[in-house]
Amino acid sequence: MGKALNSTRFRNVKIKVVRRTIAGPAKVSYLSQGLPQPNYKQTHPITSQQAELDDTTPSCSESAYSKAKKRELHAWDAVKDDMLKVSFECSAPITTQCVVCQDHADYYRCIECSTTAVFCEVCLKRTHRNSLHLPEKWNNVYYEPSSLGLFLFLPEGHDTHAVYTKVMKVIVSTGRLCTVTVNMCACEPETCPLLRYGLWPATAEKPQTAFSIPLLELFVCLSLECQVSVEGFCNTLRWKNNLTLAEVNTLYRALVGESISHFRHHHFRQRSLVDICPQLDDGTICPACPKADGDMIVTLDANFGLVRKQSSGTSVVEPLHGTRMFVDEKDVEEYLLSHLDSSKPHEDCSNFKAGNVLRSQKQAKKLDVTGVFGASCRHEMPLMFVNMSQGERLAYPLYVIDELLRRCEDKNIHLRVVYDIACVVASHLHKSGEGIPHNISLAIPAFHVYGHKLPCQIKYSTRRLEGFGLTDGEGMERLWSFLRRFARVTKEMTPSHRLDLLTDALLHYGRRKSTDLEMQLLQRLDKAEKILILAQEDISSVIREAPVLVSEEDMEKWKKREMELAQQKQKPINTVCKWKRDYIIKLIQFYKFKSGTSESYMECETEIEDSLLTMEKKHRIGRRWQESDSDFQATLKDVDCELRGQLICKARTESRERAVLLHLKKRYPDGQGIAIRLSKQVASSNKRMRQAIKEYNSIQWPPQMSIFPAAIDFQEACDPSWHVYFCFDDTIEEDNVSKSLKRRGIDALHMKTRAAEEKCMIYQEMRTVTKYLHAQHAFLCSAIKDTDQPGAKAALTQRLQQLERKRHQATVLFHPHVPDIVPVDNPYLCQTHPMSNIETLVYNDEDDTEDDDDN
């Protein structure tokens, strides 16, 4: 007899369910699921059926997530065969009644309308009048393409005009090429009635081919968001809709012409409404940046991947977007000729490698555009871009700064510029005699600043300068990561097509940033509050660890003194004359041989003895220094400080250069020529650093000062912010408080100041966004009142509805933080339908902990 089962206990398992929506925060709830927990006091025999069931039952050691996942997989396994069966059943008529008239159907169907609905021939023609759907007819075996032709008729109002019929080839939304009979009117160009039919012509004059507008809209969205090429889009349609190779080739040839460029521009003009309301934002204005009286933070950077080949042809017309994003190249060339910057400033502290140094000169000769220089605001809205043809010359950032100042003229805006080599720009301006304008401040991005010397970090870091808040200055890097994906397409384009596509991509990127700007501001505010708390905790920690009583006022004094010392010239480390250094090293080797701590070789010992006698005679040393002598100890300390300090400074220099090179390498895809050369430079920097570390670790005596580590690890040395590095600069004076502790206090105080500054900036930006939305609302209301065209009024009203929803959301979100922002009612709120929540299972560690406690 087997053991019997006395009872079954149930334990409560909580499964964390996260409901995520695109617009709002995730909502978390817990589902309770009672799972049987076996009790091993069995009273009945275990049958084979029970044993088989136990094999499929989750064990108690499984996590809550694993059990929930298994239940989900078993549920799909239970229905997948039934679903496949139903999909095959839909390949044949399910009913014999017409879905419209309820009479006997002729077995016509339209997949684009419904997979189950069937039509009679009369109802099919009536419901699909002026439609480009492709119906199918049942031939008693399978559905085949219908022989009914496609006809498109003009709307009312053309009865008295010269109407004629034209047969055209139309590429419908599935990508299939069809023959369609369309009515045309002689009172307007043939492109206009095609647009009314929802078609875009392949040519502007006497078009013979047209595209479905939804198909082109899908392609434009995929190309801007996912960087899908024309070839990739055509192949996608081929495999989705079973197109033939001939159909794919026809579609490809039609999409690579001028038609798609003009459609993309038409799509922008239709969406932006700037033609019927010129005051509206066309996508180039940041809602949060000040329009007058304020500080505007701008980041500058260059990208050397967005090139153009000379062999890619020329343009006979100007770009459709004009100078909306890219400035006129003639103005840039004139500026370059009048601003020669070939001489490098003497105090350049950066190891920054310009693009013309990294790029192969042989390859550069094949390019007429070697890169793009651009500017964006602190909210990452694109502002201005310049085609580069001569590497990253200082004239490019100077031109962009001058142009931004011109745009801000008479607006009382202080421009805060963040650039990788802002120190070089500042030095160049001083050297040229122009000086830095009073309404400009220069800074270096928070990450890139580690590639500069410590005094430069103190003078130019965004974390140490007033007015920058928590701006990291790396916004252009994030923009380049999006824009560089277009490089493989734009490098083969004509100049105008290239600028139009890049402009459309930048406008799309700006739309992505501005659409959810209110949520971005709230996230930044939350981050600033957390950093403020952490900075205050760091300050309190420094106060506790200080050997003497210090306060925040003392840290303020440290900060001011640090800036004063950073402005001074640094003195080179040179404290011991050469003969004393050589003498002390020889003495240590000699005493090690004598004491037996080192392997003794007679020849080496004799050679060292001769060297010591020669130096003692030359420098008149009457008695050889002993290890206990004060002269020996003092000189050893000085030699140790000099030697170890030089090696650590060398390692620090290599770590900075290595960080800059790695940061620069991220701009280029692996395998590209520039990326390969950068990798070689990183390897050379690693080799030099390892050599410095090897020399440091091979010093024959222990460190004479506590600030020196006994040994250096390569991973620690690679970090430019390693605390050891900060002990070897002249920007901090050491008294009763160590340099490292002072550095921590200064950094924490700066972070506290910047976090508080960030909060004030965000509050002001919330007011600016609200004011911007009110202004756009007023422009729309005025345009709706002034226009008499029903179509324009409808488009403006639809935009007004969207804007009022956005304005309502923004004011409601901002009001708890800025009370003077009054929430605005949304008259369309009852019409909004939020997206359904999506439930996903997320593992929660607390579930298993509670289960273990129950056991």
Side-chain angles (χ1 to χ4, degrees), residues 149-166:
L150 296 177
F151 297 91
L152 298 177
F153 303 94
L154 284 170
E156 297 179 0
H158 294 270
D159 298 337
T160 60
H161 300 161
V163 178
Y164 60 96
T165 301
K166 184 176 183 179

Side-chain angles (χ1 to χ4, degrees), residues 317-376:
V317 295
E318 294 295 321
L320 296 174
H321 281 289
T323 58
R324 180 169 275 113
M325 280 293 177
F326 283 82
V327 299
D328 191 349
E329 294 187 16
K330 294 180 180 179
D331 296 340
V332 179
E333 292 298 328
E334 292 178 1
Y335 190 90
L336 292 178
L337 292 175
S338 61
H339 288 72
L340 300 177
D341 54 5
S342 57
S343 60
K344 198 173 184 180
H346 179 66
E347 296 182 1
D348 177 20
C349 70
S350 175
N351 288 316
F352 180 79
K353 307 295 184 185
N356 56 338
V357 175
L358 292 172
R359 185 178 300 281
S360 169
Q361 297 302 309
K362 182 179 179 181
Q363 294 295 327
K365 293 179 180 179
K366 301 179 181 179
L367 306 174
D368 61 354
V369 176
T370 59
V372 173
F373 194 92
S376 68

Side-chain angles (χ1 to χ4, degrees), residues 98-128:
C98 174
V99 71
V100 179
C101 64
Q102 301 297 318
D103 288 342
H104 181 74
D106 296 324
Y107 296 123
Y108 284 96
R109 76 169 183 179
C110 179
I111 290 293
E112 296 174 76
C113 293
S114 172
T115 56
T116 58
V118 293
F119 302 87
C120 62
E121 184 174 338
V122 176
C123 292
L124 179 69
K125 291 181 178 180
R126 185 186 305 121
T127 57
H128 286 72

Side-chain angles (χ1 to χ4, degrees), residues 344-345 347-355 357-358 392 420-424 444 448-454 456-457 649-665 667 678 681-682 685 688-689 720:
K344 198 173 184 180
E347 296 182 1
D348 177 20
C349 70
S350 175
N351 288 316
F352 180 79
K353 307 295 184 185
V357 175
L358 292 172
E392 192 169 4
D420 291 348
I421 49 173
C423 57
V424 179
I444 299 174
H448 207 283
V449 74
Y450 290 114
H452 297 251
K453 294 179 180 178
L454 190 59
C456 186
Q457 297 180 31
C649 289
K650 183 178 180 181
R652 179 179 61 184
T653 302
E654 295 301 333
S655 70
R656 291 172 180 170
E657 180 172 356
R658 182 178 182 275
V660 173
L661 291 171
L662 289 174
H663 186 63
L664 192 60
K665 184 177 178 294
R667 303 181 183 183
L678 284 169
Q681 291 188 20
V682 172
S685 180
R688 292 191 296 269
M689 178 179 286

Side-chain angles (χ1 to χ4, degrees), residues 6 14 47 99 226 266 316 368 480 511 525 548 551 590 611 622 673 696 757 822 836 854:
N6 185 22
K14 291 191 295 183
T47 64
V99 71
C226 307
H266 167 84
V316 295
D368 61 354
W480 293 140
R511 184 185 178 192
L525 181 62
V548 295
S551 62
F590 178 76
S611 299
Y696 184 96
E757 195 174 71
V822 181
S836 301
D854 294 340

Side-chain angles (χ1 to χ4, degrees), residues 828-844:
Y828 305 101
L829 189 61
C830 59
Q831 302 179 18
T832 59
H833 301 282
M835 181 180 291
S836 301
N837 292 339
I838 302 174
E839 296 188 1
T840 57
L841 295 179
V842 179
Y843 173 69
N844 186 8

